[in-house]
Amino acid sequence: MTFWFYYFCFFTMAQTTENFPALKNDNLLRAARGEDVDRIPVWVMRQAGRYLPEFQAVRKLHDFFTICRTPELACEVTMQPIRRFDLDASIIFSDILVIPQALGMTVEMKPGPFFPEPLVTPDDLSKLTADGAVSRLKYVGDAITMMRHKLDGKVPLIGFTGAPWTLMGYMIEGGGSQTMSMAKSWLNEHNEASHKLLSLLTDVIVDYFEMQVKAGAQMLQVFESSADYINKEQFAEVSLPYVRQIRDQLRKRLQEQSIEPVPMVLYAKGGGHSLSEQAQCGYEVIGLDYNVDPLEARKAVGSNVTLQGNLNPADMYLPEAELRALTDQMVRKFGKKRYIANLGHGITPQTPIESMNVLVETVHTVSKEL
């Protein structure tokens, strides 16, 4: 090997080795790897967000994407639930739609996501600028690095992205949709262009995840939030191949740079029909929505994959005794081995604060009995 090869390897490791505080609570990472845990780890999708009054106070002063793009603000709202609750993980405050923004599309919050100029025909793909996209997302990496220091090793930090199909849907629909009819019509009328777009998004996501790992993310989650708009056959065509590529390409790239891979979570809302297929994609963790039975999920994925989920967010509005009973039942169904407690979808804005305490406390209490 040449001197320059060794220099490159050393330089790469120097660039990706930050002097972060030692991790005090590693139950999340241990559960993801299938190791024994002191207690079942619990965190909540969208745990830094609108249900917290302190987040609402920040939001009154700053535009949503300004918070995303300002590391100090992103870290502040990321820390808010960690200060309140005995959670076992933190997830960086950002949004899946920063990727379309990095590709050159305008995305606004009015109050939900709105694209003034969505993709209408395949010719519109020429407007997307993939070159340099990850450099335009540097603020996310900066926030991750800053957050690792602010956490002081209290809990692991999760990074995330939207999956290609989910991002494609937003980019074509121009925002949220109850049907994804326009995106699905692309699959029929512009199939080649659809796969070109999905491949482009996959490549950008791999770059984005590589950057997040180098910045300090300790686990990564892929949100296939729009899986419930497509059937099993379509899921096999437009979701599974691309989420598999994300995992495989990222793993290969990190190994080539002698960087330790981090555990990865695949969460496909509405993808319960394909759990065994998801389990074959190489992700350490499969996230479940609230329509999936824990016992059936375990049968589908086998014993070598960790499950995450899956309390219905609507249950968080129930009286304390009922919420505690449902959480207790959920945890006992999943068991302590290879399990991460979570909701089956993101926490909703009007969720009572006390419900979060009940959820977290119940998970930890029951886990001591298992």
Side-chain angles (χ1 to χ4, degrees):
M1 296 293 182
T2 67
F3 165 82
W4 290 110
F5 173 82
Y6 285 112
Y7 176 80
F8 172 78
C9 291
F10 173 80
F11 180 77
T12 299
M13 288 300 292
Q15 289 294 93
T16 57
T17 303
E18 182 84 17
N19 187 26
F20 293 124
L23 187 58
K24 303 177 182 73
N25 176 356
D26 65 347
N27 283 302
L28 178 82
L29 304 183
R30 293 176 67 84
R33 295 191 296 256
E35 301 169 2
D36 292 338
V37 296
D38 297 329
R39 65 186 190 184
I40 293 172
V42 55
W43 68 282
V44 170
M45 290 182 280
R46 294 182 184 165
Q47 68 186 22
R50 295 171 293 174
Y51 73 106
L52 292 173
E54 53 266 47
F55 173 81
Q56 295 169 5
V58 174
R59 185 67 176 80
K60 286 179 181 178
L61 299 175
H62 304 281
D63 171 79
F64 178 85
F65 284 114
T66 297
I67 299 173
C68 293
R69 297 189 190 107
T70 308
E72 293 80 4
L73 294 174
C75 287
E76 166 55 27
V77 297
T78 301
M79 277 297 299
Q80 289 172 351
I82 303 303
R83 296 189 189 112
R84 273 188 178 266
F85 312 112
D86 188 21
L87 293 158
D88 295 285
S90 179
I91 183 167
I92 195 67
F93 183 84
S94 186
D95 194 87
I96 65 172
L97 299 182
V98 298
I99 288 183
Q101 287 178 330
L103 291 170
M105 299 187 76
T106 299
V107 187
E108 303 169 359
M109 286 290 178
K110 292 190 169 183
F114 171 69
F115 290 66
E117 297 182 16
L119 304 178
V120 178
T121 71
D123 290 341
D124 291 332
L125 297 183
S126 63
K127 300 177 183 178
L128 302 179
T129 306
D131 289 345
V134 73
S135 67
R136 293 187 284 275
L137 293 167
K138 181 178 180 295
Y139 59 85
V140 178
D142 291 343
I144 287 172
T145 300
M146 184 182 295
M147 191 64 203
R148 279 293 304 275
H149 289 289
K150 287 183 176 293
L151 283 168
D152 194 29
K154 182 178 176 64
V155 293
L157 179 62
I158 304 169
F160 69 93
T161 184
W165 159 247
T166 293
L167 295 176
M168 173 181 164
Y170 277 101
M171 294 163 72
I172 293 172
E173 298 286 341
S177 170
Q178 297 300 314
T179 62
M180 288 289 171
S181 58
M182 289 186 286
K184 288 192 290 186
S185 72
W186 266 56
L187 299 180
N188 296 322
E189 299 172 17
H190 312 300
N191 191 262
E192 183 178 348
S194 295
H195 284 280
K196 180 179 179 181
L197 175 56
L198 292 166
S199 294
L200 181 152
L201 290 166
T202 297
D203 292 341
V204 173
I205 288 168
V206 173
D207 291 342
Y208 186 39
F209 264 174
E210 179 187 359
M211 180 264 282
Q212 291 189 36
V213 172
K214 290 180 176 179
Q218 292 160 288
M219 192 161 85
L220 300 170
Q221 177 155 318
V222 176
F223 283 89
E224 187 67 284
S225 306
S226 298
D228 49 356
Y229 295 104
I230 50 179
N231 59 33
K232 183 179 177 70
E233 290 72 26
Q234 291 171 318
F235 186 73
E237 177 190 354
V238 302
S239 179
L240 287 173
Y242 296 102
V243 297
R244 185 182 295 113
Q245 286 178 42
I246 291 168
R247 184 268 180 194
D248 291 349
Q249 291 177 19
L250 177 65
R251 179 65 61 93
K252 179 181 179 182
R253 192 177 296 182
L254 294 176
Q255 288 177 339
E256 289 173 347
Q257 300 176 65
S258 299
I259 300 172
E260 186 70 24
V262 302
M264 297 181 68
V265 185
L266 173 58
Y267 167 74
K269 182 177 182 291
H273 48 60
S274 300
L275 290 176
S276 60
E277 290 84 354
Q278 291 180 51
Q280 296 169 20
C281 290
Y283 288 71
E284 287 81 3
V285 184
I286 299 297
L288 307 176
D289 67 39
Y290 48 84
N291 291 312
V292 178
D293 179 78
L295 300 180
E296 293 302 316
R298 178 53 70 194
K299 290 178 184 177
V301 306
S303 59
N304 295 322
V305 175
T306 297
L307 293 174
Q308 176 177 280
N310 66 337
L311 191 74
N312 192 328
D315 292 340
M316 298 287 278
Y317 294 86
L318 295 172
E320 178 180 337
E322 293 182 44
L323 174 58
R324 197 175 296 277
L326 286 171
T327 304
D328 183 299
Q329 180 185 54
M330 174 185 73
V331 173
R332 293 183 190 278
K333 275 192 171 184
F334 279 106
K336 195 171 183 178
K337 185 70 173 177
R338 300 211 77 142
Y339 174 52
I340 299 168
N342 205 317
L343 300 182
H345 194 37
I347 191 169
T348 54
Q350 287 76 40
T351 298
I353 298 295
E354 184 52 34
S355 291
M356 274 288 287
N357 280 317
V358 172
L359 171 68
V360 174
E361 291 171 5
T362 303
V363 170
H364 290 158
T365 298
V366 176
S367 71
K368 294 177 183 178
E369 302 172 7
L370 298 177

